[in-house]
């Protein structure tokens, strides 16, 4: 496997390029589905479910009987694992609750900030070969903690027209209020406009393929908020000779198995370590069930030798990895210095898998360099920060004249007048 | 003026409709400007500045000499008013700082959340008849408090090729690091791609006309975050007979003078009060310099009589006003019950103008019903929340088996393996 040797800063953007996708063609399809769902509601939902998922459903909504029956089909040990994960995720997100922030900015002028829940949220969980119940935990737990009233889950039905029992089990456990068997563009369109079956929501969360990603982007045009734009998952590891090459290889592969377009980068100030990981990768990949996918992703991966930690940190911040593992003796240097990353994993016994499932942090994170501006999903993603203020007569005396001057300077006389009319009364008392 | 009498819930969406704009044509222009700026950089910036602003500039960047000279052209009293506003805004946004949140979710599993600044931000300030220096305070103060490294301000030059001295004064006072005389679509494109003169940024803030709004939406396609989608400004007042009709009319007019498409709604459980405000509006509007604008906006305004507070609150939450003034005896009912609003103003001496300029709260707020899902700009708008975790050997013993089970159930064997390879070593110690 090729090792990049201390690349110059002007090469970084080329080296760190993510696979780009053209969305032009997809937008046409998305617009058509949106227009149909908006006009025809459930009829269009059924039509596209038949076309894209090859299933004809009488009823897209999961009944309470189906929900109650699910647990019987989930092994007890897995149920317990899910409960443990829930407990940790809940503890970490509960700690993120903030209290009202109140400041008397001037005498008689009291301002405060409070957070209130987004009332209706939609959670999208992709279908595919495996049931991604872990993402249900990551989205439904903070939604419930935040106090969202309606928590709607959409996920495409499998060929038999069902959702996996693990998903139903997790959804019930985490307080999802409605589950609908609908996937892809039509699910996002349904959540955007509402149909007879699908409630209209104010914000849509969750990962998906490029059709879902473009659909979420289009949804924002219709006034629906989204958690963040999505891209293929990615991992950057910085490690030195104190790290364990086999562990690092296993982490890189856990990322690589997601898809052929997954991004895997290893940065090290030790050439020797890079060679050791390269060898470990070649051995470990052979025994993976998803070997074909992982091999392709690994072929596109980058092993980068950097002479200096300071420059390595610059490169990492320039890349802005979704997942960032630090296995270095001087781990504090990287922990303090990282400004652009979704989630950071520190030390030899902190695999990325821990955060994917059960340590308590959220696994819905900004990819594709979006960590430069976006947070991963957290409790605040389900809340809005609102401001309040109450001013007394004395307060308006204190700040009113400044408001009058500023409003007049901006040419907004009615703004000024709203203060003047009150000040006149106050001074005449 | 027409008073709507206790409208039925199924009429609400029609009554509360905002003026809609078609963005189809605008998108074509925006895409062309974006493509040109991406290819030609400053050359395209100069071309569009000449075309749209009718100005030919040798240099788009404000020099430090120009910046230093600005204060001399701002009246001392106005300088002091701006300083007072800055002090209050700073106090309120400083109080929003959060500390690291750390939880040991299981023994040996330590997770924490920390906020780190978005490194490069762009602030867009519209041009037009008056210099909107107050918006500079609202954006640059939290950006500086958050610790953003590069704070770039773009605003269109006036016909003489200058920016107003009040704007330069405010920008310097609040730590803006670079000021560029460029407006409209080309400014947003420049901040998105970077040019020889304009630094590329990670997030763009600020209001603008519909061209700027669409440009910001398009910018998100290229990986740049934005504060929020924008629409015409709006105000909803709920008031009863304890309120002062002249004050309420002055508040409604302060909103109405923004533009003919501004939204003004008054809700009351007192028909008598609605009539009094209607009369006061007709008198006050006559003396406004922006009377023509305000009259048109007032003509589209709604005065709504609601029989019950409970239903009135429902209607207000359905509307999700940007600005919400409460002048009622039972103000607590509305303060507690409002879940969808940008900023809330309570009592007879709290005009919206206070929050627009100097009380300390931010005036960059979600319009167009976006308050259902979006926060107004606050300190966190300039920060990203990142998560960190560090797991000990004991910690991995505690949660590792659950991770293995869950990863296997999702068909992700390499995820499982990243834990197994470590657990094997730990148990062999």
């Amino acid at each position: 496997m090729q090792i990049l040797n201390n690349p110059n800063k002007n090469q970084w953007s080329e080296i760190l390029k993510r696979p780009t996708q053209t969305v032009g063609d997809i937008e046409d399809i998305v617009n058509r589905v949106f227009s149909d769902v908006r006009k025809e509601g459930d009829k269009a939902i059924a039509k596209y479910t038949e076309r894209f998922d090859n299933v004809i459903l009488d009823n897209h909504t999961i009944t309470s009987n189906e929900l109650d029956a699910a647990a019987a089909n989930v092994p007890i040990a897995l149920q317990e694992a899910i409960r443990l994960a829930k407990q940790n995720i809940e503890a970490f997100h509960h700690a993120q609750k903030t209290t009202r922030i109140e400041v008397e900015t001037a005498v008689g002028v009291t301002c405060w900030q409070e957070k209130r829940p987004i009332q209706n949220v939609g959670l999208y969980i992709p279908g595919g070969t495996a049931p991604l119940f872990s993402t249900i935990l990551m989205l439904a737990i903070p939604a419930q903690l935040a106090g969202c009233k309606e928590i709607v889950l959409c996920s495409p039905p499998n060929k038999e027209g069902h959702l996996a029992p693990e998903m139903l089990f997790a959804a019930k456990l985490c307080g999802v209020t409605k589950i609908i068997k609908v996937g892809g563009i039509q699910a996002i369109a349904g959540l955007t406009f509402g149909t007879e079956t699908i409630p209209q929501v104010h914000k849509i969360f969750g990962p998906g393929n490029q059709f879902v990603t473009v659909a979420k982007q289009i949804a924002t045009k219709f006034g629906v908020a989204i958690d963040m734009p999505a891209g293929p998952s990615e991992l950057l590891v910085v490690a030195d000779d104190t790290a364990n090459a086999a562990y690092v290889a296993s982490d890189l592969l856990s990322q690589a198995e997601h898809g052929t377009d997954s991004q895997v980068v290893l940065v090290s100030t030790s050439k020797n370590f890079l060679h050791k990981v390269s060898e470990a990768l070649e051995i470990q990949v052979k025994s993976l069930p998803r070997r074909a996918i992982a091999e392709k992703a690994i072929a596109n991966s980058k092993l980068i030798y950097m002479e200096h930690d300071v420059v390595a940190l610059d490169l990492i911040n320039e890349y802005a990895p979704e997942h960032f593992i630090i296995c270095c003796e001087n781990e504090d240097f990287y922990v303090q210095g990282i400004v652009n990353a979704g989630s950071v994993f520190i030390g030899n016994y902190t695999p990325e898998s821990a955060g994917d499932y059960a340590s308590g942090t959220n696994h819905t994170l900004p990819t594709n360099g979006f960590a430069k501006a976006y947070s991963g999903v957290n409790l605040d993603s389900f809340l809005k920060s609102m401001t309040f203020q109450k001013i007394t007569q004395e307060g308006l005396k204190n700040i009113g004249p400044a408001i009058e001057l500023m409003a007049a300077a901006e040419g907004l006389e009615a703004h000024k007048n709203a203060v003047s009319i009150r000040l006149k009364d106050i001074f005449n008392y």
Side-chain angles (χ1 to χ4, degrees), chain A:
Chain A
M1 196 170 292
Q2 199 207 344
I3 295 176
L4 299 159
N5 192 4
N6 214 19
N8 197 285
K9 194 159 184 170
N10 59 26
Q11 302 171 279
W12 289 1
S13 71
E14 189 54 35
I15 291 172
L16 300 177
K17 213 178 222 170
R18 273 96 170 172
T20 47
Q21 299 168 332
T22 48
V23 296
D25 300 347
I26 294 181
E27 264 187 31
D28 291 342
I29 302 170
V30 171
N31 283 326
R32 201 172 338 127
V33 176
F34 266 58
S35 159
D36 283 359
V37 170
R38 189 178 202 177
K39 265 185 261 161
E40 299 173 2
D42 278 351
K43 204 180 134 199
I45 296 290
K47 177 176 81 179
Y48 286 112
T49 300
E50 187 179 350
R51 187 177 305 169
F52 295 138
D53 301 312
N54 296 306
V55 183
I56 299 176
L57 294 177
D58 284 340
N59 181 7
H60 283 259
T61 312
I62 295 284
T63 63
S64 58
N65 283 347
E66 285 177 273
L67 204 55
D68 294 338
N73 296 309
V74 180
I76 296 290
L78 182 58
Q79 290 189 25
E80 276 166 17
I82 292 174
R83 281 184 209 280
L84 175 78
K86 180 185 180 238
Q87 187 181 305
N88 293 346
I89 296 164
E90 213 161 52
F92 187 59
H93 288 75
H94 187 270
Q96 292 166 26
K97 285 201 179 181
T98 46
T99 52
R100 160 179 169 143
I101 291 163
E102 185 174 311
V103 182
E104 191 174 7
T105 53
V107 175
V109 180
T110 307
C111 302
W112 67 98
Q113 183 198 49
E114 273 183 57
K115 289 175 186 163
R116 306 221 164 155
I118 299 174
Q119 299 295 296
N120 306 335
V121 296
L123 316 182
Y124 184 81
I125 309 294
T129 47
L132 297 180
F133 55 85
S134 62
T135 304
I136 299 178
L137 302 180
M138 295 297 173
L139 299 178
I141 291 171
Q144 195 184 25
L145 280 173
C148 301
K149 270 195 184 162
E150 181 132 53
I151 305 172
V152 185
L153 190 154
C154 291
S155 190
N158 62 21
K159 280 173 197 160
E160 291 75 40
H162 299 303
L163 296 185
E166 297 88 345
M167 293 180 64
L168 300 185
F169 174 78
K172 192 183 172 193
L173 189 69
C174 302
V176 168
T177 56
K178 191 164 194 179
I179 307 172
I180 300 158
K181 294 183 277 190
V182 59
I185 305 167
Q186 62 271 25
I188 306 301
L191 292 167
T192 301
F193 302 117
T195 70
E196 301 87 327
T197 302
I198 309 174
Q200 189 179 33
V201 300
H202 304 138
K203 190 168 182 178
I204 299 173
F205 295 79
N209 60 21
Q210 39 184 336
F211 293 96
V212 171
T213 299
V214 174
K216 280 171 67 185
Q217 160 92 18
I218 300 287
T220 64
K221 283 196 196 177
F222 296 97
V224 179
I226 61 171
D227 48 357
M228 68 190 87
S233 197
E234 61 201 25
L235 167 67
L236 187 146
V237 181
V238 63
D240 63 16
D241 287 313
T242 65
N244 180 313
Y247 295 179
V248 169
S250 76
D251 290 327
L252 296 173
L253 287 171
S254 78
Q255 190 57 45
E257 78 171 339
H258 272 301
T260 53
D261 56 359
S262 285
Q263 293 269 313
V264 170
V265 182
L266 172 61
V267 174
S268 182
T269 52
S270 159
K271 283 185 191 169
N272 179 45
F273 186 75
L274 290 169
H275 284 292
K276 276 161 68 182
V277 172
S278 181
E279 284 165 26
L281 279 172
E282 280 175 38
I283 297 164
Q284 288 184 26
V285 75
K286 287 183 186 143
S287 55
L288 288 181
R290 293 165 76 100
R291 175 179 176 178
I293 291 171
E295 272 181 340
K296 271 191 198 156
I298 288 293
N300 294 324
S301 73
K302 316 278 181 193
L303 305 188
I304 306 175
Y305 166 73
M306 297 297 283
E307 204 174 342
H308 300 293
D309 284 318
V310 173
V311 191
L313 177 62
D314 266 3
L315 175 130
I316 295 163
N317 275 324
E318 184 57 37
Y319 182 67
E322 178 192 12
H323 303 101
F324 176 38
I325 297 183
I326 303 170
C327 292
C328 293
E329 200 168 14
N330 59 344
E331 62 183 35
D332 281 352
F333 170 77
Y334 286 99
V335 172
Q336 297 311 316
I338 184 73
V339 286
N340 300 327
S343 196
V344 183
F345 302 77
I346 304 157
N348 289 328
Y349 296 95
T350 315
E352 188 213 299
S353 310
D356 286 338
Y357 290 107
S359 63
T361 59
N362 208 290
H363 79 198
T364 310
L365 298 167
T367 57
N368 204 25
F370 292 123
K372 290 177 182 170
Y374 287 87
S375 308
V377 165
N378 58 76
L379 187 67
D380 278 349
S381 311
F382 297 88
L383 296 162
K384 302 153 299 170
S385 150
M386 285 164 56
T387 51
F388 298 77
Q389 62 201 283
K390 190 166 185 177
I391 304 177
T392 64
Q393 293 193 9
E394 191 189 357
L396 201 61
K397 267 191 199 171
N398 287 331
I399 66 169
I403 299 168
E404 291 179 304
L405 273 173
M406 291 173 75
E410 288 194 350
L412 296 172
E413 286 293 327
H415 282 64
K416 178 184 171 186
N417 191 48
V419 172
S420 308
I421 195 173
R422 288 166 165 99
L423 283 185
K424 215 175 288 173
D425 284 354
I426 294 172
F427 284 113
N428 281 347
Y429 258 110

